[in-house]
Amino acid sequence: MTELTGGPALPQERRIVTAIPGPKSQELLARKNAAVAGGVGLTLPVFTKRAGGGVIEDVDGNSLIDFGSGIAVTSVGNSAEAVVRRAAAQLADFTHTCFMVTPYEGYVEVCEKLAELTPGDHAKKSALFNSGAEAVENAVKIARAHTKRQAVVVFDHGYHGRTNLTMALTAKNMPYKHGFGPFAPEVYRVPVAYGYRWPTGPENCAEEAAAQAIDAMTKQVGADNIAAIIIEPVLGEGGFIEPAKGFLPRIAQFAKDNGIVFVADEIQSGFCRTGQWFACEDEGVVPDLITTAKGIAGGLPLAAVTGRAEIMDAAHAGGLGGTYGGNPVACAAALGAIETMRELDLNAKAKRIEEVMKGRLSAMQEKFDIIGDIRGRGAMIAIELVKSGTKDPNPEAAGALAKACHAEGLLVLTCGTYGNVLRFLPPLVIGEDLLNEGLDIIEAAFARL
């Protein structure tokens, strides 16, 4: 076997030896611009050579602190030992048969693990797919088959993917939807409990937002027409919004009372990211269906819909599937990722990351009044930036801060409906020294703004 040079053995240090991006990355960027469609954008044009733990090493020899995890994918760290070991063994055995043609144990074992880990003690089944958007689309198919209804309800600031149906489900126009319509019909959007921006204040947010959402569903859609209500327990691309406490249980109860399938989209927030296996556990919400992807397989493409057995069985035989869904190598990687999460107690690691980050960011908020809000749970933390003395969104500051961090060797991401949120998604295995060094870079960037 080829000797491994990345993964956990990679030196855990920030190291800047060239400008960011360096000359080799710039050469590759020119090749990318000539060969890759322009619609595939880049956050930071440094080309990765190796990665592991809390760092990414580029082709120029720079080592960057990773506060992105490939958008919450490499939660167990890049090339985690158990992921590599299991995936490599599977590669040597066979790479593909298509589970729908000749099945294999790894797919079944992943579904068994999902039944064990997801909320609720009811009988559960799963179906495996390739991406988060694919999982959400299939959750809608399953809910429609089960309820014999068509309407789907989603929420302000929600993000669910880039396919035609999931673009319709997604709230934000640019860059996800602009120019790509028409979109799938029978999708309805209602308010979410966004405490920081709720007109009457965060203390009223949960009750008022739930009342408005339920009123819209009842009056504008008709509860008897709704197949599914889909929500992210912590909204991701929309700005790491935690719905005000009490909102999710109210919406879940409305769904239960009206025979509506309640779908928790845990694609970004799942698998220890928020300090619990799944974010909906925070308020004891047990979804009918839960969609997962991103952190499930340590960097390999895999997604799932897991839910109540009687709902999952509503689709006819052959109605669910796909050529690559539940690829055997990805399934092996998922089993390695789950093994790592348990062995290293990554829920506890995520909670410690929250403690460190929120402590440091709160101190920064006292010094820099453009930090309007600090929110999130576990290692899914964000700061919303506003114009001084107001709550007006400040996307210019978010862009400038991200650029400043990148230049110093810290990878950070932006998000939010208004483009004014810095989000932090470090690998759950990141060392505390690197975590604090990254926060030092952020603080210094604020001071220079």
Side-chain angles (χ1 to χ4, degrees):
M1 187 184 296
T2 303
E3 183 181 354
L4 300 176
T5 58
L10 198 63
Q12 296 298 292
E13 61 182 16
R14 181 175 68 102
R15 184 176 64 252
I16 306 300
V17 297
T18 72
I20 305 292
K24 291 182 180 178
S25 280
Q26 291 184 45
E27 290 175 12
L28 285 166
L29 181 61
R31 288 170 57 189
K32 178 265 182 192
N33 290 338
V36 179
V40 181
L42 300 177
T43 295
L44 176 57
V46 298
F47 282 74
T48 304
K49 182 178 181 181
R50 303 184 297 182
V55 298
I56 294 172
E57 185 180 294
D58 72 10
V59 291
D60 290 288
N62 300 298
S63 179
L64 285 67
I65 300 173
D66 182 11
F67 273 18
S69 299
I71 317 183
V73 168
T74 54
S75 297
V76 297
N78 257 290
S79 300
E81 184 278 330
V83 171
V84 173
R85 168 170 40 84
R86 287 177 178 258
Q90 181 58 56
L91 275 168
D93 288 340
F94 62 94
T95 56
H96 176 75
T97 67
C98 184
F99 186 77
M100 298 178 299
V101 178
T102 57
Y104 36 88
E105 185 178 1
Y107 188 117
V108 176
E109 192 173 356
V110 170
C111 293
E112 289 170 340
K113 295 292 185 187
L114 287 166
E116 175 188 344
L117 293 172
T118 52
D121 56 6
H122 50 276
K124 300 173 200 164
K125 292 188 177 183
S126 295
L128 304 184
F129 305 99
N130 302 295
S131 69
E134 208 179 331
V136 173
E137 290 227 6
N138 279 277
V140 171
K141 288 166 56 178
I142 292 162
R144 285 173 167 166
H146 174 70
T147 61
K148 309 296 190 263
R149 304 171 182 176
Q150 294 185 339
V152 179
V153 172
V154 288
F155 293 82
D156 288 340
H157 308 287
Y159 175 87
H160 300 287
R162 295 174 182 261
T163 59
N164 186 263
L165 175 57
T166 57
M167 280 191 295
L169 302 176
T170 291
K172 188 175 181 179
N173 174 53
M174 192 67 182
Y176 307 118
K177 303 168 71 166
H178 187 73
F180 298 144
F183 303 114
E186 286 300 307
V187 173
Y188 302 87
R189 195 172 315 284
V190 298
V192 75
Y194 187 172
Y196 179 66
R197 295 196 172 277
W198 196 253
T200 61
E203 65 278 4
N204 302 312
C205 182
E207 187 171 340
E208 291 180 2
Q212 290 182 23
I214 290 168
D215 184 68
M217 287 188 275
T218 304
K219 303 279 198 323
Q220 298 178 32
V221 188
D224 291 345
N225 295 318
I226 301 172
I229 297 171
I230 307 175
I231 190 167
E232 302 159 273
V234 178
L235 282 70
E237 301 292 321
F240 281 28
I241 300 162
E242 288 186 273
K245 299 295 185 192
F247 179 80
L248 283 176
R250 280 281 305 278
I251 300 300
Q253 188 62 50
F254 174 79
K256 183 177 181 180
D257 291 344
N258 290 279
I260 300 165
V261 177
F262 183 79
V263 183
D265 180 342
E266 293 260 13
I267 287 159
Q268 191 162 167
S269 59
F271 290 99
C272 306
R273 176 52 59 180
T274 63
Q276 294 168 293
W277 280 100
F278 299 97
C280 60
E281 296 177 70
D282 185 63
E283 293 188 85
V285 172
V286 177
D288 297 311
L289 300 179
I290 185 167
T291 60
T292 52
K294 290 192 181 289
I296 192 174
L300 275 73
L302 187 68
V305 182
T306 302
R308 297 183 185 277
E310 67 275 15
I311 298 177
M312 291 297 299
D313 281 343
H316 55 272
L320 304 177
T323 301
Y324 291 107
N327 169 269
V329 181
C331 285
L335 296 172
I338 292 168
E339 175 187 331
T340 304
M341 291 171 197
R342 283 177 154 159
E343 183 178 310
L344 300 181
D345 191 2
L346 292 190
N347 280 316
K349 298 272 190 184
K351 289 174 182 174
R352 176 57 184 162
I353 289 169
E354 176 184 354
E355 183 181 4
V356 172
M357 295 199 84
K358 282 191 171 177
R360 292 287 307 274
L361 293 170
S362 295
M364 291 182 213
Q365 188 177 30
E366 293 179 6
K367 296 165 61 176
F368 309 111
D369 66 356
I370 65 169
I371 301 178
D373 194 28
I374 300 166
R375 55 179 179 255
R377 296 202 302 273
M380 189 174 182
I381 304 296
I383 52 176
E384 179 164 357
L385 303 181
V386 294
K387 294 177 181 175
S388 184
T390 75
K391 284 192 176 182
D392 295 342
N394 195 342
E396 297 82 9
L401 282 161
K403 185 176 180 181
C405 289
H406 296 165
E408 294 296 322
L410 172 66
L411 174 60
V412 297
L413 307 172
T414 60
C415 68
T417 300
Y418 312 110
N420 67 323
V421 177
L422 279 178
R423 58 173 160 168
F424 309 120
L425 292 160
L428 304 182
V429 297
I430 192 170
E432 210 161 301
D433 53 343
L434 280 179
L435 187 64
N436 275 301
E437 187 176 356
L439 289 161
D440 290 342
I441 292 169
I442 293 167
E443 185 166 7
F446 269 110
R448 294 194 302 269
L449 197 64

